[in-house]
């Protein structure tokens, strides 16, 4: 069945032109070197333009989790798979220094499925059987049918032909068993790995024979459910440690620069107490967390890696984040997986797809959205002393720090890794009155109990080294089974330099913990609100009024401190329309400006919010305007009047506030959210973390009334 395709998917049928890091990419692609490099005459003039590269490993619990919750990131990455190779190495020491190098062109993508997804063994759509009404339930055949559907969907995403052939083999795992490895013959850079463990067979109900039971010690080992035609023939079972070893071994095999996983802490619905996601998604992701930690510790000669986690079932309760055309294309691949046309194109007696999905290829309102569970805030790039910039991200489970020594674009160095593992994706920053920078994050502890806490680190002096991580604890006093569903902290700073951290808790209210004059922190306070989503954001306007904002499923709520030293008031309704969840905020004149995306569109919306000084004064919101035209999803970076974010093809793009309604797109996919800075000189610098786990930047010099088409390049060139 022919499917409608967006332009970004048609690109999969075109050759990908890339060159090595030492090649002259400006000649190969027709792009110009960056304007700032030409004017400065600095080292950036020799840097190639950034393109998508790296090794991506996705780990999901079930066949179809990638199609529902990681697409269109998945399909857009598949369009960049190429014949180039990548090499890299990285080492780190306890002192917090580290080096990592990598070169390569194109991408490789591997998806790992932890369970067979065998369910009840009946491959049935609503109202009837998939292909033989007399066939009895058979878990091995149903698992095979789901594999056939996944292979067809991937082949279609990559080649346009769902029947494109795969080579299926059995490989040993470091857990002591075997996995099935499928290689797409037409594009061998695309691999599927099947661990084929048994699934829980229920989204929430307690079943000891599951990943959840294995993680919590309810069973000594979890057995396999082999698909009917798998090249793996010998049954096996994994202990908890062996499961971790098996996943870590796959990571060592593929040496990822980006690891995609599901949400290990989805939280619970406040009214029912049930998990907001499938238990296999949640506990499978915890096994991935443990495996990434083990991989980071034991393998030093490898590229650095970043981690991106994805929201699951909870997408179904929120406004759609994808525009209709992108959603239609995504649903088309789900229809292929679901074997909706019933044609026996795969020649398998088990069936050619998952007929349970055929009756509702959008799932329960899942297919129209993609959201990141963490790392979708835009406050990780900040200024130091004049001319100095600092950027932060999580690499290898530790905080990575880059810095620009002066105003010239080519003076970036890093990343250096701070001591201390377990740092989750997504960090935020705050600047103290004396010029020091504080970095805030969450840290996950795996042993002896799973828990998450807020942490912060502060420079010892302006532009100096960072001190050790300090714990702020967690407001989750009843952390049943370690749901630990707190957001990345946002921060405000009082005139005398005291920090206050704000988090969304697992009950979706706003919590705050304030530093006292003696340096200690008071208790977590509940600031109210309900149905809060994503991370809170903060900003202080020109009059010293503090603004705190958080989205709900229907609007945006505000908390205002009308004057320094006054109590924070709220939550106030803003009257703003529903958003796709992530917020970005920046001071502007007497108020602050919010940026967010319109549901079912991706268009960036912006509104100016002001507040009076009187106690109880409510925020005043100007009319909502739109910029950039229809585009992607996720948070928006702001640098003066230059905006950055995912554009129509999913690559990082830029547009101007008040400028033409179009995005200037690059050739690079990225992880997380962009972050931007308007410098004192009037220049704008914007940064993203590429799928190669490297920092990429673009700088536009003043004067800049109409932002030009910027060129992105690696902040720190790879070592040769």
């Amino acid at each position: 069945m022919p499917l409608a395709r967006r332009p970004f998917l048609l690109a999969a049928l075109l050759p990908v032109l890339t060159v090595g890091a030492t090649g002259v990419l400006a000649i190969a692609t027709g792009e110009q070197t960056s304007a700032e490099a030409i004017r400065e005459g600095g080292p950036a003039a020799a840097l190639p333009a950034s393109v998508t590269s790296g090794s991506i490993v996705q780990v999901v619990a079930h066949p179809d989790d990638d199609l529902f919750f990681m697409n269109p990131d998945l399909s857009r990455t598949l369009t960049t798979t190429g014949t180039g190779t990548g090499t890299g190495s990285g080492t780190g020491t306890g002192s917090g220094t580290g080096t990592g190098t990598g070169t390569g062109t194109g991408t490789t993508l591997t998806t790992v499925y932890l369970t067979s997804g065998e369910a009840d063994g009946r491959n049935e759509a609503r109202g009837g059987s998939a292909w033989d009404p007399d066939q009895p339930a058979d878990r091995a055949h149903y698992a095979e049918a789901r594999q056939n559907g996944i292979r067809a969907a991937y082949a279609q995403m990559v080649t346009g032909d769902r029947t494109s052939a795969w080579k299926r083999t059995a490989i040993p795992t470091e857990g002591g068993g075997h996995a099935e490895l499928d290689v797409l013959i037409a594009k061998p850079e695309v691999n599927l790995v099947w661990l084929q463990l048994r699934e829980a067979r229920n989204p929430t109900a307690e079943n000891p024979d599951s990943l959840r039971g294995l993680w919590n010690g309810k069973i000594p080992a979890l057995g396999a459910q082999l698909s009917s035609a798998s090249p793996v023939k010998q049954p096996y079972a994994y202990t908890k440690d062996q499961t971790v070893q098996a996943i870590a071994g796959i990571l060592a095999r593929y040496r990822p620069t980006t690891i995609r996983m599901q949400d290990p802490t989805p939280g619970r619905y406040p009214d029912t107490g049930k998990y907001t996601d499938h238990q296999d998604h949640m506990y499978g992701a915890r096994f991935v967390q443990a495996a990434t930690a083990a991989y980071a510790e034991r393998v030093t000669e490898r590229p650095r890696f970043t981690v991106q986690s994805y929201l699951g079932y909870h997408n179904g309760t929120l406004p759609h984040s994808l525009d209709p055309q992108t959603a239609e294309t995504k649903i088309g691949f789900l229809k292929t997986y679901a074997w909706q046309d019933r044609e026996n194109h795969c020649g398998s007696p088990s069936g050619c797809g998952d007929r349970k999905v055929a009756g509702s290829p959008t799932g329960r309102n899942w297919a129209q959205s993609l959201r990141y569970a963490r790392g979708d805030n835009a406050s990780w790039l900040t200024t130091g002393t004049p001319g100095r910039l600092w950027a932060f991200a999580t690499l290898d489970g530790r905080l990575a720090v880059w810095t620009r020594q002066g105003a010239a674009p080519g003076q970036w160095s890093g990343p250096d890794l701070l001591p201390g593992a377990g740092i989750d994706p997504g960090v935020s920053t705050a600047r103290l009155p004396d010029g020091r920078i504080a970095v805030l994050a969450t840290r996950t502890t795996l042993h002896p109990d799973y828990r998450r806490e807020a942490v912060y680190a502060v420079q010892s002096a302006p532009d100096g080294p960072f001190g050790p991580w300090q714990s702020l604890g967690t407001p989750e006093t009843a952390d049943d089974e370690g749901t630990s569903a707190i957001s990345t902290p946002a921060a405000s700073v009082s005139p005398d330099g005291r920090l206050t951290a704000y988090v969304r808790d697992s009950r979706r209210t706003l919590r705050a913990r304030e530093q006292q004059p003696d340096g200690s922190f008071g208790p977590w306070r509940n600031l109210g609100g309900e149905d809060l989503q994503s991370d809170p954001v903060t900003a202080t306007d020109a009059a010293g009024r503090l603004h705190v904002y958080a989205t709900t499923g229907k609007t945006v709520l505000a908390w205002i401190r009308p004057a320094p030293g006054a109590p924070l008031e709220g939550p106030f309704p803003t009257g703003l329309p529903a958003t796709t969840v992530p917020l970005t905020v920046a001071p502007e004149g007497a108020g602050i400006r919010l940026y967010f995306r319109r549901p079912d569109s991706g268009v960036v919306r912006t509104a100016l919010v002001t507040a009076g000084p009187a106690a109880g004064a409510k925020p005043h919101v100007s009319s909502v305007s739109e910029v950039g035209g229809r585009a992607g999803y996720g948070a928006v970076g702001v640098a003066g009047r230059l905006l950055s974010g995912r554009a129509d093809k999913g690559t990082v793009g830029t547009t101007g506030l008040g400028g033409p309604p179009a995005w200037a797109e690059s050739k690079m996919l990225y992880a997380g959210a962009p972050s931007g800075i308007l410098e004192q000189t009037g220049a704008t610098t914007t940064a993203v973390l590429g799928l190669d786990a490297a920092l990429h930047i673009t700088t536009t010099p003043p004067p800049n009334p109409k932002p030009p088409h910027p060129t992105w390049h690696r902040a720190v060139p790879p070592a040769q």
Side-chain angles (χ1 to χ4, degrees), residues 330-377:
K330 175 178 175 177
I331 294 166
F333 296 131
L334 280 157
K335 290 179 178 178
T336 297
Y337 163 76
W339 190 27
Q340 199 168 59
D341 63 5
R342 303 282 296 275
E343 294 181 10
N344 191 15
H345 57 83
C346 67
S348 170
S350 298
C352 298
D354 183 359
R355 292 289 295 168
K356 288 185 187 298
V357 175
S360 181
T362 63
R364 296 183 178 179
N365 203 34
W366 304 325
Q368 300 92 334
S369 294
L370 180 149
R371 287 184 177 87
Y372 304 118
R374 305 196 74 78
D376 206 14
N377 66 71

Side-chain angles (χ1 to χ4, degrees), residues 109-268:
L109 186 138
T110 301
T111 301
V112 183
Y113 302 92
L114 299 181
T115 78
S116 289
E118 70 278 7
D120 62 359
R122 297 183 181 276
N123 196 6
E124 298 175 346
R126 294 178 182 176
S129 174
W131 60 287
D132 184 351
D134 298 321
Q135 184 189 29
D138 189 317
R139 290 188 168 93
H141 276 291
Y142 180 49
E144 178 69 15
R146 295 190 76 172
Q147 283 201 24
N148 289 333
I150 286 291
R151 284 186 284 268
Y154 271 70
Q156 188 167 51
M157 284 186 284
V158 177
T159 70
D161 177 9
R162 67 180 177 178
T163 66
S164 193
W166 296 78
K167 181 180 179 181
R168 302 174 67 181
T169 59
I171 59 172
T173 72
E174 294 192 13
H178 285 79
E180 177 178 336
L181 169 62
D182 299 346
V183 177
L184 184 59
I185 295 174
K187 269 292 183 71
E189 300 84 10
V190 179
N191 289 192
L192 308 176
V193 179
W194 307 86
L195 289 187
Q196 301 191 89
L197 294 172
R198 287 197 293 269
E199 67 151 80
R201 301 175 184 174
N202 186 283
T204 60
E206 181 79 34
N207 174 16
D209 198 29
S210 64
L211 290 170
R212 177 183 180 182
L214 185 64
W215 181 270
N216 289 330
K218 301 294 180 64
I219 54 173
L222 181 61
Q225 170 59 69
L226 301 179
S227 65
S228 59
S230 176
V232 179
K233 303 301 181 183
Q234 186 67 35
Y236 52 87
Y238 288 149
T239 66
K240 181 177 181 179
D241 288 344
Q242 287 172 331
T243 304
V244 173
Q245 292 167 12
I247 302 169
I250 294 169
L251 298 178
R253 179 188 183 101
Y254 290 102
R255 298 159 55 86
T257 52
T258 295
I259 298 172
R260 293 172 176 164
M261 59 181 283
Q262 295 176 276
D263 186 1
T265 55
R268 300 174 184 267

Side-chain angles (χ1 to χ4, degrees), residues 365-688:
N365 203 34
W366 304 325
Q368 300 92 334
S369 294
L370 180 149
R371 287 184 177 87
Y372 304 118
R374 305 196 74 78
D376 206 14
N377 66 71
S379 61
W380 50 270
L381 176 69
T382 190
T383 57
T385 56
R388 191 80 176 260
L389 295 182
W390 295 84
F392 307 89
T394 303
L395 298 181
D396 302 359
R398 296 164 64 184
L399 183 71
V401 182
W402 293 263
T403 186
R404 192 188 71 185
Q405 302 288 342
Q411 294 184 354
W412 284 90
S413 62
D416 293 329
L417 301 191
L418 296 190
I423 303 301
D424 299 313
V427 299
S428 63
T429 63
R431 198 165 186 268
L432 305 182
D434 62 2
R436 292 179 298 151
I437 295 167
V439 183
L440 296 92
T442 60
R443 178 171 60 195
T444 295
T445 302
L446 300 170
H447 306 290
D449 297 314
Y450 187 98
R451 68 189 302 269
R452 175 173 282 157
E453 61 182 345
V455 293
Y456 72 102
V458 182
Q459 287 178 319
S460 60
D463 291 339
F466 283 85
W469 288 110
Q470 301 180 65
S471 175
L472 291 170
T474 174
E476 305 293 350
T477 56
D479 195 10
D480 182 31
E481 287 194 291
T483 51
S484 296
I486 59 174
S487 69
T488 298
S492 65
V493 180
S494 65
D496 60 356
R498 290 182 291 125
L499 279 171
T500 300
Y502 306 86
V503 301
R504 182 215 69 230
D505 65 15
S506 65
R507 299 190 69 82
R508 304 199 174 275
T509 65
L510 186 66
R511 299 291 194 101
R513 194 171 187 199
E514 186 175 5
Q515 194 172 27
Q516 305 302 303
D518 64 359
S520 65
F521 280 80
W524 286 100
R525 295 183 293 120
N526 193 329
L527 301 180
E530 62 180 13
D531 188 34
L532 303 187
Q533 310 293 329
S534 194
D535 300 338
V537 296
T538 66
T540 301
D541 65 26
R545 291 179 288 262
L546 171 66
H547 298 243
V548 182
Y549 296 90
T551 54
T552 74
K554 297 179 179 179
T555 185
V556 177
L557 297 180
W559 289 258
I560 306 291
R561 176 175 288 155
L568 190 68
E569 302 173 11
F572 296 112
T574 63
L576 286 169
T579 75
T580 59
V581 170
L583 284 176
T584 303
V585 62
E588 182 174 311
I592 63 93
R593 184 169 289 278
L594 287 171
Y595 300 84
F596 47 91
R597 291 188 188 261
R598 174 156 57 93
D600 292 299
S601 167
V603 166
V604 174
R605 286 177 158 177
T606 179
L608 184 67
V609 185
T610 55
K618 297 181 180 180
H620 175 264
V621 179
S622 69
S623 60
V624 176
S625 58
E626 297 186 344
V627 297
R630 184 178 59 80
Y633 43 89
V636 178
V638 179
R641 300 183 69 80
L642 184 69
L643 309 183
S644 55
R646 281 177 183 81
D648 190 35
K649 296 180 177 65
T651 59
V652 61
T654 54
T655 187
L657 183 63
W663 289 84
E665 295 201 45
S666 70
K667 297 179 181 293
M668 180 178 59
L669 302 173
Y670 63 97
S675 189
I677 288 291
L678 175 63
E679 302 188 50
Q680 290 182 344
T681 62
T684 60
T685 294
T686 303
V688 295

